[in-house]
């Protein structure tokens, strides 16, 4: 699978590829799916461009994207969107429109309770296991681990010379992942080397403006669709 991460926490000043409003996110999602994306990850934003778990904003974002595509759509639940762990759980329980899945960063306080609340509501959980954190250890002993949708193995090493080594170490730490599928991705300078490794290993891949704003040759990407198309070519080159 290729998951497209449409925006992340970037602002419009970071790249022309970053969509912000629900309408822009919907257009970008449709273009990315046409280019080969099979799943979507998005950060709903307030009118002030802040990440949020607000039921109103989540509903507007999901409704707009689902009107444009017919693939699963997931959202972030990162602590930056709501720092209070108890309030994060309350927000999830207040959602009126549910995503297909949501990422939960297992190293963040309250991750277990948040994942449980999502599962209770029928929302798939992507277990975000970041390199350089205790996430993989916490996940391995979690009673919820066998119930997650997938593991999102996130390589935070941005050095293209070392990112694949960091990715291999993270995968070794994750281990069998309780039998759940693994989606591997990097960021910034590490994004494309890690994507190439993921394709070689037969793992899911994430690419998009949240993770990287340039193409493999260093040229600025004009859209999420252009990033996805580059990932498709990378996959084809690896298979040839």
């Amino acid at each position: 699978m290729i998951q497209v991460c449409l925006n992340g926490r970037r602002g419009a000043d970071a790249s022309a590829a970053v969509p912000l409003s629900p309408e822009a996110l919907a257009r970008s999602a449709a273009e990315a799916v046409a280019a080969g994306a099979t799943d979507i990850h998005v950060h709903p934003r307030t009118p002030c461009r802040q990440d949020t778990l607000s039921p109103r904003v989540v509903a507007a974002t999901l409704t707009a994207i689902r009107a444009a595509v017919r693939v699963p759509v997931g959202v972030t639940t990162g602590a930056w969107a709501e720092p209070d762990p108890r309030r994060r759980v309350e927000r999830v329980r207040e959602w009126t429109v549910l995503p297909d899945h949501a990422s939960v960063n297992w190293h963040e306080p309250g991750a277990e309770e948040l994942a449980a609340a999502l599962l209770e509501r029928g929302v798939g959980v992507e277990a975000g296991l970041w390199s350089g954190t205790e996430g993989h250890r916490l996940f391995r002993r979690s009673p919820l681990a066998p119930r997650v949708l997938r593991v999102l193995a996130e390589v935070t090493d941005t050095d293209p010379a070392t990112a694949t080594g960091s990715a291999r170490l993270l995968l070794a730490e994750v281990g069998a992942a309780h039998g759940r599928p693994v989606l591997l991705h990097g960021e910034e300078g590490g994004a494309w080397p890690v994507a190439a490794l993921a394709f070689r290993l037969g793992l899911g891949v994430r690419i998009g403006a949240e993770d990287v704003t340039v193409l493999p040759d260093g040229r600025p990407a004009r859209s999420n669709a252009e990033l996805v198309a580059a990932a498709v070519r990378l996959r084809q080159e690896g298979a040839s």
Side-chain angles (χ1 to χ4, degrees):
M1 68 173 288
I2 297 178
Q3 181 184 82
V4 60
C5 47
L6 294 174
N7 56 349
R9 300 168 67 186
R10 297 189 196 271
D13 57 335
S15 168
V18 181
L20 296 173
S21 69
E23 296 75 20
L25 288 164
R27 288 193 299 271
S28 185
E31 294 167 357
V33 169
T38 57
D39 193 277
I40 292 169
H41 173 79
V42 64
H43 289 212
R45 299 282 194 86
T46 68
C48 296
R49 307 311 189 201
Q50 299 299 310
D51 280 22
T52 183
L53 303 183
S54 157
R56 179 182 58 81
V57 178
V58 170
T61 302
L62 292 174
T63 299
I65 292 174
R66 284 177 171 152
V69 299
R70 295 292 183 268
V71 301
V73 184
V75 301
T76 184
T77 62
W80 55 85
E82 175 50 67
D84 185 338
R86 286 181 294 181
R87 185 58 179 150
R88 281 204 299 278
V89 171
E90 290 171 0
R91 283 299 211 182
V92 163
R93 290 177 174 154
E94 293 167 353
W95 284 350
T96 56
V97 177
L98 297 177
D100 296 287
H101 51 76
S103 60
V104 175
N105 298 322
W106 229 262
H107 65 281
E108 293 178 347
E112 290 275 340
E113 295 79 7
L114 180 58
L118 288 163
L119 290 169
E120 286 168 8
R121 300 215 63 191
V123 177
V125 171
E126 290 185 312
L129 308 185
W130 293 22
S131 61
T133 73
E134 294 297 302
H136 61 94
R137 294 187 180 90
L138 297 171
F139 178 75
R140 280 206 306 267
R141 61 175 181 256
S142 169
L144 299 179
R147 298 175 57 194
V148 305
L149 175 66
R150 67 176 68 94
V151 166
L152 190 61
E154 307 197 34
V155 181
T156 58
D157 182 354
T158 61
D159 186 336
T162 58
T164 55
S166 297
R168 289 186 182 278
L169 175 59
L170 177 59
L171 291 174
E173 292 171 337
V174 170
H178 290 272
R180 307 316 302 148
V182 175
L183 187 158
L184 177 67
H185 76 97
E187 57 187 46
E188 306 301 354
W192 291 111
V194 171
L197 174 65
F199 284 133
R200 290 198 299 273
L201 296 176
L203 302 177
V205 171
R206 189 177 98 170
I207 207 73
E210 174 176 352
D211 291 342
V212 65
T213 58
V214 298
L215 299 168
D217 62 7
R219 289 181 296 119
R222 294 171 293 182
S223 66
N224 278 301
E226 195 169 24
L227 291 165
V228 171
V232 170
R233 289 193 297 273
L234 190 65
R235 180 175 60 187
Q236 292 168 341
E237 290 166 4
S240 61

